[in-house]
Amino acid sequence: MKRIISITKPLIFALLMATVIILSACAEKKVGTQPQLTLIEHNLISRNFGDVLKSIVAVDGRAQNTGDVPLNTASITVNFYDKDGNRLHTASAVKNNLEAGEIWYFNIQFTSPDAWKTVRYDISVDTKK
């Protein structure tokens, strides 16, 4: 009876270790397939054509799909603010079928009589696999 127990313990231990190794390998694969959109650079550009009614503010930039799967939909949203912190406008850009590693050049504009008041912005990204 002691011999059966001494053989069974190493066998159970080996099976548990094999299960842990297999499960950890599966978990690593899932982490690598998460959608990932990274902002590389962005900046605020103001264009005033001498007429307040035609002022344009834009955020130009680049974003990259740094994941290893294509993104069905990638979106970038910009909130434009005046000097007092009041939000003047929100605008977005959408790119469909962004391949893994692909760089997206975006331009998000705000055209309004109040656009010239913009002094800062915030930016966010969203993805759908």
Side-chain angles (χ1 to χ4, degrees):
M1 183 108 174
K2 288 183 182 180
R3 179 151 173 83
I4 294 173
I5 292 174
S6 65
I7 293 173
T8 306
K9 283 183 181 180
L11 183 59
I12 291 173
F13 180 75
L15 288 172
L16 285 173
M17 290 304 293
T19 303
V20 168
I21 291 169
I22 290 170
L23 290 176
S24 67
C26 290
E28 287 179 26
K29 288 179 183 175
K30 287 184 180 180
V31 170
T33 61
Q34 296 299 314
Q36 185 74 31
L37 183 64
T38 303
L39 289 167
I40 299 171
E41 68 176 328
H42 51 88
N43 51 51
L44 186 67
I45 297 169
S46 180
R47 298 178 184 105
N48 191 336
F49 298 105
D51 182 355
V52 173
L53 297 177
K54 294 183 181 177
S55 64
I56 299 172
V57 175
V59 173
D60 287 333
R62 295 183 302 146
Q64 183 176 22
N65 177 354
T66 53
D68 57 2
V69 296
L71 298 174
N72 286 337
T73 305
S75 64
I76 299 173
T77 302
V78 175
N79 293 306
F80 298 90
Y81 298 93
D82 68 12
K83 66 179 174 72
D84 297 321
N86 299 311
R87 188 175 68 208
L88 299 171
H89 186 68
T90 299
S92 298
V94 176
K95 172 85 171 157
N96 293 316
N97 304 316
L98 190 64
E99 294 297 324
E102 184 178 353
I103 294 176
W104 170 24
Y105 294 87
F106 62 88
N107 175 277
I108 301 172
Q109 294 187 359
F110 167 33
T111 303
S112 163
D114 291 334
W116 66 272
K117 297 177 182 178
T118 302
V119 295
R120 72 173 186 85
Y121 67 96
D122 62 34
I123 188 167
S124 62
V125 299
D126 189 28
T127 60
K128 291 185 182 158
K129 199 164 56 162

